Amino acid sequence: MLGAGSVLMKNFWYLAVPGGRLARGKTLAKQLMGEPVLMGRTNDGEVFAMRDICPHRGIPLRHGTFDGQEVACSYHGWRFAPSGQCTEIPSIAPGQEFSCERIKAKTYPCREVQGNIWIYFADGAFDPENLPEVPRMPDMGERTPQVAISMDFPCDTDQAAFGLMDPTHAAFVHTSWWWKKQATKLRPKEKHFEPQPLGWRMIRHKLPAEHRVYKILGNNVTTEIAYALPGLRIEHIQGDKHSAVGLTAITPVNENETEVHQCLYWTIDWLAPLKPLARHLSRVFLDQDRDVVIKQQEGLAYNPTLMLIDDADTQAKWYYRLKREWLKAADEKRPFENPIKPKTLRWRS
């Protein structure tokens, strides 16, 4: 196992914030991947991200102003375009030979895709014209999420990632008067898995008859759940009439804190009035996961030896193997090789 899980994986797109939370002409400052980041949306609607530190005297740029086109530092008024290029230094006197083109704030590749803003964190130099594709949700076209919630988890990314792939905790953690009052009637499960780029997926299968709510998607409703580095879980539920997608993405705040994003997409337009209810239920579920992680930290503080068992914890083992291989491949400057093999797993939940 990787131990404390404090190694942050670079050369990935990370979900930074749902796009609806960044209005035109506004900025938003966050710590991501242990770095101070200032995101903004221009008056034209374009998004950008730069390091939240003025290259002049180090004051965070978030303390300045943004007019929808440029960021102005609050200390000496230096101005920066979304590209990071310095455009004005007010203290330069007429006749002084100094070009603003020599000054540039650090920026990060930033894209808005299907209603979410993603930032690429590179490990050293990179080719901005040859970046990997931003993750996209299948069947959703350019739709934005009907529900998007984010929550801070006081744990490292490894512990947060386990919640994405843990198939047996729901009966004990996700209990509510309207869901499961207690862990009873555990049923045997058998699922087939296969590797996919940067991860694995639970092969598409038909949903059990007791999942009646999904009948609104039509007949022959099936689901596929995919997991991928650096911490993405995408569940694609598909009927013969409509589809729904659930995205859960983990983004490191720093080595000991993680932000978990949950987004729900669907193609049934008449379900729009149910968005407040779906948002509430999603927040309840995510908060239950957060609560158990907080309790878990009490034990992990003593650095115990953890025991992962087959088959219930096999996916957690796969995550560790993937992460080790990604870090090793980067260190050895060679292509990543997915170590996961097709396998059938069985458990009760």
Side-chain angles (χ1 to χ4, degrees):
M1 297 178 70
L2 292 174
S6 60
V7 180
L8 304 181
M9 290 185 285
K10 297 290 186 72
N11 301 325
F12 282 109
W13 289 99
Y14 283 93
L15 202 165
V17 67
R21 297 180 194 165
L22 186 57
R24 291 178 183 240
K26 300 294 183 181
T27 58
L28 176 64
K30 299 182 70 172
Q31 185 185 49
L32 300 170
M33 294 288 288
E35 301 181 27
V37 178
L38 182 70
M39 292 170 281
R41 187 188 296 277
T42 68
N43 290 335
D44 295 329
E46 297 298 316
V47 295
F48 64 92
M50 62 177 63
R51 193 167 189 237
D52 189 21
I53 295 179
C54 180
H56 177 212
R57 299 283 289 275
I59 190 171
L61 290 169
R62 69 176 182 274
H63 296 306
T65 60
F66 178 55
D67 62 4
Q69 295 179 311
E70 296 180 335
V71 174
C73 179
S74 64
Y75 202 175
H76 298 92
W78 288 27
R79 299 179 66 85
F80 299 89
S83 64
Q85 180 62 57
C86 180
T87 62
E88 181 183 358
I89 299 177
S91 61
I92 296 179
Q96 289 184 321
E97 294 184 3
F98 188 90
S99 174
C100 293
E101 295 180 359
R102 297 169 48 188
I103 308 297
K104 190 173 183 180
K106 178 180 177 179
T107 58
Y108 308 88
C110 184
R111 306 281 189 274
E112 185 169 21
V113 175
Q114 293 177 312
N116 285 313
I117 297 174
W118 301 77
I119 296 179
Y120 187 80
F121 289 90
D123 184 17
F126 64 95
D127 179 3
E129 302 300 323
N130 192 31
L131 296 177
E133 292 186 4
V134 177
R136 294 186 65 90
M137 304 306 107
D139 277 359
M140 293 299 120
E142 297 306 317
R143 290 176 179 266
T144 60
Q146 281 82 353
V147 173
I149 60 176
S150 305
M151 199 171 291
D152 290 326
F153 279 47
C155 66
D156 62 54
T157 53
D158 289 351
Q159 295 303 325
F162 290 165
L164 306 184
M165 58 198 69
D166 183 347
T168 63
H169 76 286
F172 302 91
V173 174
H174 297 300
T175 55
S176 302
W177 67 267
W178 45 271
W179 181 245
K180 296 178 180 179
K181 294 183 180 181
Q182 54 187 354
T184 58
K185 297 182 179 180
L186 298 182
R187 296 182 175 89
K189 304 288 179 65
E190 179 179 292
K191 305 297 180 184
H192 307 290
F193 295 83
E194 64 182 9
Q196 68 161 10
L198 299 178
W200 69 92
R201 65 170 157 240
M202 181 189 296
I203 296 175
R204 183 169 294 281
H205 58 279
K206 191 171 182 178
L207 282 170
E210 59 264 25
H211 294 281
R212 295 185 182 90
V213 67
Y214 293 118
K215 291 294 291 182
I216 62 175
L217 301 179
N219 297 316
N220 303 315
V221 180
T222 60
T223 184
E224 173 188 274
I225 305 177
Y227 306 85
L229 294 178
L232 300 176
R233 178 188 188 272
I234 300 176
E235 181 171 7
H236 180 204
I237 306 171
Q238 190 174 44
D240 62 358
K241 294 181 179 179
H242 293 285
S243 297
V245 174
L247 163 67
T248 307
I250 61 172
T251 300
V253 176
N254 52 46
E255 294 179 349
N256 301 304
E257 297 177 68
T258 304
E259 188 169 28
V260 180
H261 303 276
Q262 195 165 76
C263 301
L264 303 180
Y265 297 77
W266 58 72
T267 61
I268 309 175
D269 294 334
W270 59 262
L271 282 181
L274 297 181
K275 287 195 291 185
L277 175 61
R279 185 179 299 109
H280 170 71
L281 299 183
S282 296
R283 185 167 293 279
V284 169
F285 266 65
L286 196 58
D287 193 56
Q288 289 170 334
D289 282 324
R290 183 179 185 275
D291 183 61
V292 77
V293 164
I294 291 173
K295 295 173 181 176
Q296 181 190 33
Q297 301 312 298
E298 298 177 18
L300 293 179
Y302 295 92
N303 196 28
T305 299
L306 304 182
M307 301 176 63
L308 300 182
I309 64 172
D310 294 332
D311 286 352
D313 294 324
T314 292
Q315 294 178 79
K317 295 180 180 180
W318 285 347
Y319 168 81
Y320 273 126
R321 292 176 63 188
L322 284 166
K323 186 171 181 178
R324 279 198 299 265
E325 164 59 15
W326 179 266
L327 296 172
K328 186 176 180 181
D331 184 61
E332 296 175 355
K333 294 180 173 48
R334 61 170 175 79
F336 168 84
E337 297 180 7
N338 192 331
I340 308 302
K341 305 298 182 184
K343 189 170 186 178
T344 296
L345 301 179
R346 300 174 179 87
W347 63 84
R348 289 202 312 151
S349 64

